[in-house]
Amino acid sequence: MTRCAVFGTGSWGTAFAMVLADAGCEVTLWGRRPGPVEAINTGRTNPDYLPDVELPASVRATTDPAEAADGAEFTVLAVPSQTLRGNLAAWAPLLPADTVLVSLMKGVELGTAKRMSEVIEEVVGKAPDGSPEDVRRRVAVLTGPNLAKEIAARQPAAAVVACADEAVGRRLQSACHTPYFRPYTNTDVVGCELGGAVKNVIALAVGIAGGMGLGDNAKASLITRGLAETTRLGLAMGADAHTFAGLAGMGDLVATCSSPLSRNHTFGANLGRGMSLQETIAVTKQTAEGVKSCESVLDLARRHQVDMPITETVVDIVHEGKPPLVALKELMSRSAKPERH
């Protein structure tokens, strides 16, 4: 059996561990808290995130990262984006030298404006003897419309496996292909990661609009223009425009902006209803990646001289305290221009 390690026992990490097991892999989940780890091992459930889902017998859990990493052909990283660098630095010496590093994270690092695959390459990018190593060929990204609760219920879903090395991508595709989970391969890692990160920001905007009581015209406009922003940034960074019309772009954007299961959409809706940032954080049990990533996405856009007005508006509302109604009026009063420019 293919050995897989999944670092992170949140809803998506747990759901993807189930997918791997259903595809025939042997999976070890790493979690930092003994309680959920024991519950997974004894009760076959993750009570904190997916209490109604029975995990396959080929999934076990541990609090020992060395035990999780031992012999893993695929090492799946499913921790909050802003904690990746610190966590991975501690885990890197424990990982097999040839393991494929799989990112489930959809964010951009604060301060560096680096994508998650770039963070992984920086942290793990040394050979055992300390010399530089090109790890890009064994860093993969899994993205797309991946609402964890639906996948954990084994509802049909498609995803994208992005890797610069097409053969490695096909190996991962095979390792997670089940009757209900259909992964496609793509070599455009940049485009796939940007689609996953920026859609969280646009989902905040759509959620805010819904919380304000705005209708479907406003939401559709934000989704469409949000995709235009994402594509502009992607093209400036060398991504393939076709990626943004696919599962990693439009597919993920639609799911995240329209589903009540979306953390970012729900977070935005609470802001739109008048809750403060701290109040919204207090009632949100899981990480809404767009809350922090909106700042790093805007930083990335400015570094590449790309105009992203919706992203800028989200930052103003979330982090600058600008009232949503004021921000909306400013966004709508921007000078008119052609749809494509």
Side-chain angles (χ1 to χ4, degrees):
M1 296 176 71
T2 300
R3 283 270 297 113
C4 300
V6 177
F7 284 82
T9 55
S11 55
W12 185 208
T14 303
F16 191 64
M18 185 197 77
V19 170
L20 290 166
D22 286 348
C25 299
E26 180 185 349
V27 185
T28 304
L29 269 166
W30 172 87
R32 61 183 176 84
R33 293 184 294 131
V37 165
E38 183 179 358
I40 290 169
N41 287 333
T42 59
R44 313 306 314 154
T45 63
N46 184 335
D48 289 349
Y49 295 102
L50 298 172
D52 300 324
V53 177
E54 182 177 351
L55 297 172
S58 53
V59 175
R60 62 186 181 90
T62 180
T63 57
D64 182 356
E67 182 183 352
D70 185 34
E73 184 175 335
F74 296 99
T75 299
V76 180
L77 302 167
V79 296
S81 298
Q82 306 307 327
T83 71
L84 172 63
R85 186 180 292 273
N87 280 322
L88 188 55
W91 298 331
L94 310 173
L95 303 179
D98 59 350
T99 190
V100 176
L101 298 145
V102 184
S103 169
L104 299 191
M105 299 156 294
K106 298 178 179 180
V108 175
E109 188 177 46
L110 285 166
T112 67
K114 290 187 180 294
R115 294 173 287 108
M116 295 296 98
S117 67
E118 293 179 304
V119 175
I120 294 169
E121 289 168 17
E122 277 193 5
V123 175
V124 188
K126 288 187 178 181
D129 63 0
S131 63
E133 178 191 17
D134 183 10
V135 299
R136 190 169 306 172
R137 65 171 185 82
R138 58 185 181 93
V139 175
V141 172
L142 190 135
T143 187
N146 304 140
L147 295 167
K149 286 188 177 180
E150 292 185 1
I151 292 172
R154 294 182 172 88
Q155 295 182 17
V160 178
V161 169
C163 185
D165 188 323
E166 195 168 2
V168 173
R170 287 196 298 268
R171 282 173 51 205
L172 177 58
Q173 178 186 45
S174 177
C176 64
H177 191 179
T178 74
Y180 61 89
F181 191 78
R182 180 176 177 82
Y184 292 80
T185 58
N186 193 329
T187 56
D188 181 16
V189 176
V190 175
C192 288
E193 281 191 293
L194 287 178
V198 182
K199 61 94 184 182
N200 286 328
V201 181
I202 305 306
L204 285 171
V206 174
I208 291 168
M212 294 171 65
L214 303 183
D216 291 336
N217 287 335
K219 297 172 190 174
S221 299
L222 286 169
I223 292 171
T224 307
R225 296 309 302 166
L227 183 63
E229 287 192 10
T230 310
T231 305
R232 285 199 299 271
L233 178 60
L235 292 178
M237 294 177 63
D240 183 344
H242 292 91
T243 297
F244 302 105
L247 290 163
M250 178 58 80
D252 205 2
L253 183 65
V254 169
T256 306
C257 289
S258 61
S259 174
L261 296 176
S262 164
R263 306 168 197 172
N264 292 279
H265 179 275
T266 301
F267 196 103
N270 286 330
L271 291 175
R273 295 186 188 106
M275 293 176 65
S276 69
L277 177 62
Q278 293 308 315
E279 288 171 337
T280 305
I281 291 173
V283 300
T284 304
K285 295 181 179 180
Q286 300 185 54
T287 302
E289 291 282 14
V291 174
K292 291 185 177 179
S293 282
C294 62
E295 291 184 291
S296 47
V297 168
L298 184 59
D299 181 15
L300 193 59
R302 288 172 174 167
R303 294 182 188 210
H304 290 273
Q305 299 182 321
V306 175
D307 187 30
M308 298 185 72
I310 298 174
T311 300
E312 191 165 357
T313 298
V314 169
V315 172
D316 286 344
I317 294 171
V318 174
H319 295 287
E320 302 300 329
K322 182 173 288 186
L325 188 58
V326 174
L328 173 66
K329 288 180 178 178
E330 292 178 358
L331 185 64
M332 293 298 290
S333 64
R334 284 167 46 87
S335 60
K337 52 177 63 74
E339 184 177 29
R340 298 178 64 185
H341 65 283

